[in-house]
Amino acid sequence: MISKYWLPILIMTILVQTVTAQDAENEQTTTTNQGRLSGNLQLNGNFFMRDSSIGAANTPQYDRQLFGADSWLNLNYQNWGFDMGIRFDMFNNSNLLNPTDSYSALGIGRWYISKKINKLGITAGYIYDIIGSGIIFRAYEERPLAIDQALYGVRLTYDIADNWTIKGFTGRQKKQFDTYGSVLRGAAIDGFFASDSSGVTLAPGFGVVGRTLDDGSMNNLVATLNTYAKSDIFTPKYNTYAFSAYNTLTAGPISWYLEGAYKTADAFVDPFKERITVSGDTIVGRYVQGKGSVLYTSISYAKSGLGLTLEGKRTENFDFRSSPQETAVRGLLHYIPPMTRVNTYRLLARYAAATQFVGEQAFQVDASYAVNKKLNLTANFSNITNLDGDQLYREIFTEIYYKYHRKWTLTTGVQLQQYNQEVYYGKPEAPLLETVTPYFDFLYKFNPKTSIRLESQYMNMSKEHGVRSDYGNWVFGLAEFTLAPHWAVTVSDMFNIDPGKLSPVDASTGKQEKIHYPRFDIYYTHHANRFSVSYVKQVEGIVCSGGICRLEPAFSGVKMSVNSTF
Amino acid sequence: MKKYILFLAIAMFSLNACDEIPPKVTGSMGGPVEPNPVEDQKRQVIIEEFTGVRCVQCPAGSAFIQDLLAIHGEQLVAVSIHAGDFSPPYSASQYDFRTEEGDQLLSYLNEPFGYPSASVDRKLFPGKSSLQLGQGDWAGSIASELEIAPKVRIAIEPSFDAGTRKLTADVTLYIDQAISDADVRLSIMLTESEIHDLQLKPGSSSPVPDYTHRHVLRDMLTSYSGDPITETLSQGAEISKSYNFTMPAEWKEENVEIVAIVSLAGASKEVLQAHQVHVVE
């Protein structure tokens, strides 16, 4: 036990001694700089209040635990040319890892130590890093989805020339307070050219990542393949490599990013592939082995109030994980950028398109034009199909923003969506959802410190056989009163005004219920500390963070949070 | 320039030092398997699958279990537990496969990350954070469990009176290795196969009417986590228990099986041995 934690304990000791030294110096009003200590705390507490009518029930939290909390305390210290840090993670009765189960564990979630020796940089511990846009490798965290893909290992960087850096790393991927068994290694070279005369710059790079499957994962894979008919089996590879070449070109108002990635043969689950079982049944979803590729580009133009962005992406067989047994958001070694607008308004964000690793082709156009200082127009169009051309997602979004002096602003527009339930929800033969959602957001400032914001959206849902799809039509309203710089209070309600197929049924009448999902929030901010208390009733839906999505069950209860930076 | 070439060479070499020796994949070798008589009983592993008639992907899991049974024969015992969000029957369903014990087992063995999901021998396998395993882990977990010699052998002697529908199950445990764990339990489950009823499957938004449900947990003759075995579990001990049950008329006795498992309770819920017999041979 001690041997596992000797380095974090050492870092903690240094941090404690440093704080103690600083306290002593403060008392003696000594101004000697001992280094820089910084950190942040995030604490979330959930009080679960069972509400069977909306499906907030039948999990350990609602049935017996009633309370859960998650917390991250991060401390960083810089001195003597070293960067070091340690993070305490706590999950108690947490529903982050599995929204329908309870997870409890706590301990050192991260530590690292880093030193630059001339041109050589050395880092050991839990490392966050990225190659290119992350298509072949991204070690990062998304706390709302309990994603922590840190690399536990060693990384070296070397400045081989002005504006040219090479890096190499090896380690294993973090898995809660453990690691996956598979071993990773990778390297990348990143550069930068600038033309003095033309203003053109280039930022090219090339990266490669290798993964060796651990014996446990391979044994599981082979045992599964040994249940398949001979026509469906293949010889899996222990070692898989992913390569990526990328470049950002900027020329005046134009910026163009291009990345191409390739992955050698790797085993993964194709959820749409059929196989005949030994007992004669046809089932959908099986392991396949294939080479993968991703081509991604983004061109943007910004000048004279006009902003244009065009993005395109083609993905084929690019599910790259620490273990082929992992599913959903778990064990991913990489991150493929989403090709849709990131919506923030409640109803506009209800149907989000999760990245399809097996295959998708997508493009997105985003245009923004500032007519004058008061008026801004925005339009966005995104389209995603699978590799056979079947529609997965389409969104048309418009926005008009008008600012009247410093007194009030109005943001309004409409969103049209098509959403493939069969792919994103796994509902067989379900037609595309089609929604039309007008919205507005009105902000009125009584004075520089006091303001009120009113927000509303109405979602009109398409029908299936005369019945509204999914949860049907919604109306959402929100009022937010802000008393800067400390207080903000919001009250909102999401009302299922015309229920659909999946809306909860009233047991007494047998009819779909028109249910209110109210929310009430109080926020208090004091310097770098932010506190919040919220009463929440939340319908189930897809929750996305940073382009990664998962189905999130309904919530009923009280949420409290503290965020502090120091 | 030379040093860059050196960097590149090291990088390329570390990525692909030499060709690998691949694992051997045979594909299904299914077919007849040897019987597993109690006198010489080998390890028998239980897979408890969590499923539901509204779970579109679950038939694939159940079909996969049939493949595993074809490979492992009597050394694998399957129980399909209808519990969770996908388990409420349709209005046109003939049966409600949900049971109180099934709901309790779902909570006892952790809520799944997705369906279908199963627990193999109720064991927390290395590198896993839950007793629930996705389909990709089932075959490997069963294979590794089968390598462990059983500490206990289980015999079940059923008798069924078709007139009164009274079922008696006499269960005997033969302790081959002393078991020192504080809390050891015996669970008795009744499962039924060949039940034709509605089930959602890929390819249609409506449930198919004649899906064949197998190994459905219908009831338990003990508590959901098993009844504590209070006798001393020393090597050579024989422990006998008897259970009575009146079988509902809608059950077809020729398709009903009695499943017995000896498991730990407490921090570890691991199953030490499982066994299954038909009520009517």
Side-chain angles (χ1 to χ4, degrees), chain B residues 193-216:
Chain B
S193 295
E194 307 307 319
I195 308 174
H196 298 276
D197 201 5
L198 268 59
Q199 172 68 49
L200 192 61
K201 287 183 74 176
S204 170
S205 57
S206 301
V208 295
D210 57 348
Y211 179 79
T212 306
H213 295 269
R214 299 185 175 96
H215 322 293
V216 179

Side-chain angles (χ1 to χ4, degrees), chain A residues 19-165:
Chain A
V19 173
T20 309
Q22 284 182 331
D23 286 347
E25 284 166 9
N26 289 341
E27 285 169 11
Q28 295 164 21
T29 62
T30 307
T31 56
T32 307
N33 184 7
Q34 291 289 312
R36 182 169 179 271
L37 179 66
S38 61
N40 53 72
L41 167 75
Q42 184 179 347
L43 172 64
N44 305 322
N46 295 324
F47 294 87
F48 294 88
M49 299 161 70
R50 187 183 176 88
D51 185 348
S52 302
S53 67
I54 65 167
N58 304 323
T59 69
Q61 290 91 340
Y62 289 112
D63 288 353
R64 57 183 187 274
Q65 294 171 345
L66 307 183
F67 174 75
D70 317 295
S71 181
W72 297 262
L73 174 63
N74 198 33
L75 296 173
N76 301 304
Y77 183 65
Q78 294 171 303
N79 205 349
W80 317 293
F82 284 90
D83 283 349
M84 60 190 85
I86 192 164
R87 194 183 72 207
F88 174 75
D89 292 1
M90 181 191 77
F91 305 91
N92 276 339
N93 301 339
S94 172
N95 60 352
L96 286 183
L97 187 64
N98 179 354
T100 59
D101 199 13
S102 178
Y103 173 65
S104 293
L106 46 82
I108 303 300
R110 185 192 184 206
W111 64 265
Y112 71 93
I113 186 161
S114 180
K115 171 75 175 167
K116 191 89 189 265
I117 308 161
N118 299 321
K119 294 179 178 180
L120 177 68
I122 304 169
T123 306
Y126 292 91
I127 299 162
Y128 295 122
D129 203 344
I130 191 168
I131 293 177
S133 62
I135 290 172
I136 63 164
F137 180 75
R138 187 180 179 196
Y140 73 115
E141 63 168 342
E142 274 302 340
R143 291 177 186 171
L145 298 179
I147 292 174
D148 190 351
Q149 297 179 189
L151 174 82
Y152 187 37
V154 175
R155 178 185 62 195
L156 301 180
T157 61
Y158 196 82
D159 301 328
I160 53 177
D162 286 346
N163 298 325
W164 281 89
T165 303

Side-chain angles (χ1 to χ4, degrees), chain A residues 296 311 313 335-340 342 353 355 360 364 546-548:
Chain A
Y296 169 67
E311 285 183 281
K313 181 180 73 175
Y335 167 87
I336 298 181
M339 199 56 50
T340 56
V342 178
T355 296
E360 67 176 3
Q364 177 176 213
I548 303 287

Side-chain angles (χ1 to χ4, degrees), chain B:
Chain B
M1 192 63 192
K2 284 179 184 172
K3 65 183 176 185
Y4 306 149
I5 293 170
L6 180 65
F7 276 124
L8 204 60
I10 291 171
M12 296 310 291
F13 183 77
S14 63
L15 283 166
N16 197 1
C18 55
D19 289 339
E20 63 184 51
I21 298 171
K24 189 177 180 186
V25 180
T26 59
S28 177
M29 306 292 279
V33 289
E34 296 172 6
N36 198 15
V38 69
E39 305 80 49
D40 190 26
Q41 196 173 74
K42 296 175 188 165
R43 177 71 179 206
Q44 298 189 132
V45 173
I46 185 168
I47 179 166
E48 292 168 280
E49 174 206 21
F50 288 89
T51 183
V53 297
R54 293 171 186 263
C55 169
V56 66
Q57 301 298 343
C58 291
S62 301
F64 185 46
I65 287 176
Q66 290 306 111
D67 277 356
L68 292 164
L69 286 166
I71 292 168
H72 298 298
E74 291 187 12
Q75 283 193 267
L76 181 63
V77 175
V79 177
S80 291
I81 301 167
H82 287 247
D85 293 341
F86 298 106
S87 63
Y90 290 97
S91 55
S93 293
Q94 292 183 60
Y95 306 100
D96 182 352
F97 295 131
R98 294 174 299 175
T99 58
E100 190 180 327
E101 290 86 355
D103 291 340
Q104 290 166 324
L105 281 170
L106 181 66
S107 181
Y108 185 63
L109 301 178
N110 306 142
E111 295 277 344
F113 187 50
Y115 289 83
S117 178
S119 167
V120 173
D121 271 353
R122 302 183 179 180
K123 184 171 181 174
L124 186 61
F125 288 90
K128 302 295 174 188
S129 54
S130 169
L131 302 180
Q132 295 280 354
L133 301 172
Q135 212 173 312
D137 285 313
W138 297 355
S141 305
I142 291 166
S144 70
E145 283 297 278
L146 285 172
E147 291 177 3
I148 302 170
K151 291 180 176 177
V152 53
R153 289 174 287 124
I154 305 174
I156 307 172
E157 283 294 327
S159 63
F160 179 70
D161 184 325
T164 62
R165 300 196 63 77
K166 189 180 174 191
L167 169 68
T168 301
D170 294 322
V171 180
T172 307
L173 309 180
Y174 300 93
I175 311 300
D176 289 339
Q177 282 181 51
I179 302 169
S180 57
D181 299 85
D183 193 348
V184 183
R185 299 190 181 196
L186 174 63
S187 300
I188 308 293
M189 299 168 161
L190 298 176
T191 65
E192 187 180 0
S193 295
E194 307 307 319
I195 308 174
H196 298 276
D197 201 5
L198 268 59
Q199 172 68 49
L200 192 61
K201 287 183 74 176
S204 170
S205 57
S206 301
V208 295
D210 57 348
Y211 179 79
T212 306
H213 295 269
R214 299 185 175 96
H215 322 293
V216 179
L217 176 69
R218 298 292 252 157
D219 210 330
M220 287 187 68
L221 307 186
T222 59
S223 77
Y224 70 94
S225 59
D227 291 344
I229 303 170
T230 53
E231 292 84 348
T232 304
L233 301 174
S234 54
Q235 187 174 358
E238 285 186 25
I239 297 159
S240 296
K241 306 272 183 183
S242 187
Y243 298 88
N244 296 307
F245 179 73
T246 303
M247 193 182 292
E250 68 176 21
W251 297 16
K252 292 180 179 166
E253 58 268 27
E254 64 272 24
N255 298 328
V256 176
E257 291 167 325
I258 304 169
V259 174
I261 60 171
V262 175
S263 64
L264 306 180
S268 169
K269 297 163 183 164
E270 201 172 324
V271 173
L272 303 177
Q273 180 71 328
H275 188 56
Q276 157 184 285
V277 296
H278 291 279
V279 165
V280 180
E281 287 300 335

